[in-house]
Amino acid sequence: DTEVTQTPKHLVMGMTNKKSLKCEQHMGHRAMYWYKQKAKKPPELMFVYSYEKLSINESVPSRFSPECPNSSLLNLHLHALQPEDSALYLCASSQDTGAADEKLFFGSGTQLSVL
Amino acid sequence: GESVGLHLPTLSVQEGDNSIINCAYSNSASDYFIWYKQESGKGPQFIIDIRSNMDKRQGQRVTVLLNKTVKHLSLQIAATQPGDSAVYFCAENPGGFKTIFGAGTRLFVKA
């Protein structure tokens, strides 16, 4: 299984809503990532978990709250988002070899619209 | 901050021709370079990678060339097919988990 599965595929939420994005992989990877991608732009790193511990937070606003319940699952909890947060949210995983050659495996993303 | 960039935002090629997508990088400390392909409605997919101690690497129909002297990376696709139509991102990793993506090039393949 070389897939990273993300749910839901599409999400529309109001600015006062609370929602969660979910990501799952069964490749035995120990690093998991959240990226944000605006239309016609490259993915931008948000968070990285390594061995279920938060390793990198790229100064992401607190209205985005990541969670890694176990090595296969990654969640992104959303609360009080702004319309400018509308984007494609991509989950990725990698082996976490400790070296620079971390090959990322991406899911298909959740297309989020904040109204 | 340092970033990876691309020379051309779009590239249009005839089916069967070879495609060359170029990329410039600025972080001389980067040790690992990757090309990803992103089709509409999907996440980026790994195509090919190269370490800084190499200048060329070949895959199936794809070749990556690395010129460290001028900090240039290119992706060559042989006999381009309609299924190759996508956005292509070069990316660099100076170490750790921070893969930095370039702006992307959209490849159109004309039948």
Side-chain angles (χ1 to χ4, degrees):
Chain A
D1 184 359
T2 58
E3 281 194 356
V4 175
T5 304
Q6 289 188 245
T7 57
K9 292 192 184 303
H10 301 275
L11 180 62
V12 179
M13 60 186 292
M15 289 187 285
T16 59
N17 291 159
K18 286 185 181 180
K19 297 287 184 184
S20 297
L21 309 185
K22 298 187 182 299
C23 175
E24 188 170 3
Q25 58 88 15
H26 295 289
M27 293 178 278
H29 289 172
R30 301 315 297 263
M32 295 189 77
Y33 308 70
W34 282 114
Y35 277 83
K36 173 182 177 180
Q37 186 177 27
K38 300 285 270 185
K40 300 183 180 180
K41 296 291 186 182
E44 295 179 343
L45 183 64
M46 300 175 71
F47 302 105
V48 182
Y49 275 83
S50 173
Y51 287 81
E52 301 161 43
K53 295 198 184 307
L54 185 64
S55 178
I56 294 176
N57 176 342
E58 290 286 90
S59 302
V60 179
S62 60
R63 58 185 183 269
F64 295 91
S65 176
E67 178 194 19
C68 189
N70 61 54
S71 60
S72 298
L73 296 175
L74 185 66
N75 300 320
L76 186 62
H77 303 297
L78 314 173
H79 174 54
L81 294 193
Q82 303 297 310
E84 59 265 28
D85 296 322
S86 298
L88 181 67
Y89 288 84
L90 292 162
C91 174
S93 69
S94 70
Q95 284 188 321
D96 193 352
T97 63
D101 55 349
E102 290 293 324
K103 187 184 304 180
L104 299 175
F105 290 77
F106 283 89
S108 292
T110 294
Q111 187 66 54
L112 175 67
S113 296
V114 182
L115 304 178
Chain B
E2 295 181 301
S3 64
V4 178
L6 289 168
H7 295 309
L8 294 172
T10 61
L11 177 65
S12 184
V13 299
Q14 198 70 38
E15 181 180 359
D17 288 351
N18 296 334
S19 303
I20 300 176
I21 301 173
N22 294 304
C23 176
Y25 68 93
S26 57
N27 189 339
S28 56
S30 289
D31 185 51
Y32 179 58
F33 303 88
I34 319 100
W35 281 98
Y36 288 92
K37 172 186 180 183
Q38 187 172 23
E39 297 176 274
S40 180
K42 296 184 178 180
Q45 295 175 281
F46 171 89
I47 302 173
I48 192 168
D49 57 0
I50 189 167
R51 299 293 298 266
S52 60
N53 60 353
M54 304 172 69
D55 54 19
K56 181 179 180 179
R57 191 165 188 216
Q58 287 185 294
Q60 188 176 15
R61 281 201 309 119
V62 293
T63 301
V64 55
L65 299 177
L66 175 63
N67 186 331
K68 294 181 289 293
T69 302
V70 295
K71 295 179 186 173
H72 184 267
L73 195 67
S74 68
L75 176 70
Q76 300 178 0
I77 304 173
T80 312
Q81 302 169 359
D84 295 326
S85 293
V87 176
Y88 289 81
F89 292 101
C90 64
E92 63 175 322
N93 188 327
F97 297 114
K98 291 195 178 186
T99 296
I100 304 165
F101 286 79
T105 293
R106 180 172 293 279
L107 176 65
F108 292 101
V109 181
K110 296 176 287 186

